[in-house]
């Protein structure tokens, strides 16, 4: 085992131990969000082995004709409602779990916009925003799921452990995939998750299919190193997720035309049987 492999193994052991402590704390807690998260049991095995598409917001999504997946079970996230084919595709499930919604960096009005344009069957939010009044006043309780994201991804983490308890996800699409697994989907196609957003941002290029202010173009060297480490962990945990899910009968595919997500087996939507 190389020094690098030893470091990763030690990191994963530490993360796993911290996860156990956090899970024990959550199990004895009595907060209101706990009941909201446990309600996710109602969504278990809804799909009965079907396939689904999980859409990111990467630049490659602007190259796609989303009419080809109209009628499929689609999971979308964040600012997907800005996509010109958002109404054509009409995602069944929508996700916003980023802390930016909680701290006000993202406007609560985006919930109104996604409802108006996409009209998803279910909206999944981070349980922490349940107490944020501008958000709480906009959601539809009967069609909202809440996710407790307080665990850390590592090689020992169970990606199929259910979402009626705390989960680990370093980005919104990994949270959406775990919900898809919880619902019983057996083929999951990731589209528009390019894995190169940070690099584009650092180089002054657009990191999403929509225009957004660049946040990493002029960061300090130390901050850049930190972000690159997070990016490395992100690639590693994508591979861990694919391997773990495959061992439990769930196949995870990269359906995008481009990007750096070569840790996932590629399969384009045009290759699928309708």
């Amino acid at each position: 085992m190389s020094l690098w492999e030893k470091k990763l193994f030690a990191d994963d052991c530490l993360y796993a131990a911290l996860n156990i402590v956090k899970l024990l704390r959550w199990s004895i807690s009595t907060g209101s969000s706990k009941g909201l998260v446990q309600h996710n049991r109602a969504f278990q095995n809804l799909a009965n082995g079907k396939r689904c598409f999980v859409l990111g917001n990467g630049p490659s999504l602007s190259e796609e004709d989303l009419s080809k997946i109209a009628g499929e079970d689609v999971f979308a996230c964040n600012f997907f409602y800005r996509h010109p084919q958002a109404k054509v595709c009409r995602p069944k499930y929508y996700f916003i779990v980023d802390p930016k919604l909680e701290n006000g960096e993202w406007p609560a009005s985006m919930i109104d916009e996604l409802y108006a344009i996409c009209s998803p069957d279910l909206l999944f939010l981070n349980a922490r925003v349940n107490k944020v009044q501008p958000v709480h006043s906009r959601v539809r309780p009967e069609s909202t799921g809440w996710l407790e994201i307080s665990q850390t991804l590592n090689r020992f983490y169970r990606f199929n452990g259910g979402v009626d308890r705390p989960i680990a996800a370093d980005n919104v699409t990994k949270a959406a995939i775990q919900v898809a697994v919880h619902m019983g989907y057996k083929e999951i196609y990731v589209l528009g998750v390019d894995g190169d957003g940070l690099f584009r941002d650092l180089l002054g290029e657009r990191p999403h299919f929509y225009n957004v202010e660049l946040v990493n173009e002029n960061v300090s060297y130390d901050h850049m190193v930190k972000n690159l480490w997070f990016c490395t962990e992100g690639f590693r945990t994508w591979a861990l997720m694919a391997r773990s899910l495959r061992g439990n009968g769930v196949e995870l595919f990269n359906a995008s035309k481009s990007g750096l997500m070569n840790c996932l087996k590629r399969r384009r939507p045009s290759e699928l049987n309708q």
Side-chain angles (χ1 to χ4, degrees), residues 22-88:
K22 290 179 181 179
L23 190 57
L24 287 173
R25 286 179 179 173
W26 185 82
S27 67
I28 62 175
S29 68
T30 57
S32 59
S33 65
K34 183 176 180 180
L36 294 174
V37 173
Q38 290 177 327
H39 179 68
N40 292 338
R41 292 170 185 164
F43 309 135
Q44 193 165 12
N45 296 323
L46 290 179
N48 194 28
K50 295 170 63 180
R51 73 183 181 200
C52 68
F53 289 80
V54 175
L55 307 186
N57 285 185
S60 69
L61 203 65
S62 61
E63 305 170 10
E64 302 291 345
D65 177 7
L66 298 185
S67 67
K68 293 181 179 178
I69 60 171
E72 297 276 0
D73 288 0
V74 173
F75 292 58
C77 65
N78 296 348
F79 291 96
F80 171 75
Y81 63 83
R82 294 180 177 177
H83 196 282
Q85 289 185 301
K87 284 187 176 181
V88 176

Side-chain angles (χ1 to χ4, degrees), residues 54-129:
V54 175
L55 307 186
N57 285 185
S60 69
L61 203 65
S62 61
E63 305 170 10
E64 302 291 345
D65 177 7
L66 298 185
S67 67
K68 293 181 179 178
I69 60 171
E72 297 276 0
D73 288 0
V74 173
F75 292 58
C77 65
N78 296 348
F79 291 96
F80 171 75
Y81 63 83
R82 294 180 177 177
H83 196 282
Q85 289 185 301
K87 284 187 176 181
V88 176
C89 180
R90 204 195 80 77
K92 191 171 185 176
Y93 306 111
Y94 210 106
F95 293 77
I96 308 175
V97 299
D98 198 294
K100 292 184 181 73
L101 182 62
E102 180 186 5
N103 64 28
E105 188 174 341
W106 286 356
S109 59
M110 67 186 296
I111 294 177
D112 299 327
E113 293 182 74
L114 74 87
Y115 276 140
I117 296 171
C118 297
S119 187
D121 292 355
L122 284 172
L123 170 64
F124 285 88
L125 299 172
N126 193 317
R128 294 175 59 177
V129 302

Side-chain angles (χ1 to χ4, degrees), residues 160-193:
N160 63 333
V163 296
D164 56 347
R165 51 185 277 169
I167 65 171
D170 55 18
N171 65 43
V172 64
T173 49
K174 286 177 183 170
I177 287 169
Q178 289 177 75
V179 171
V181 173
H182 181 78
M183 289 180 169
Y185 290 94
K186 294 298 184 183
E187 285 188 11
I188 302 173
Y189 296 85
V190 177
L191 195 60
V193 178

Side-chain angles (χ1 to χ4, degrees), residues 14-28 150-151 166:
L14 177 60
Y15 296 150
L18 290 174
N19 282 350
I20 292 172
V21 173
K22 290 179 181 179
L23 190 57
L24 287 173
R25 286 179 179 173
W26 185 82
S27 67
I28 62 175
S150 57
Q151 299 278 281

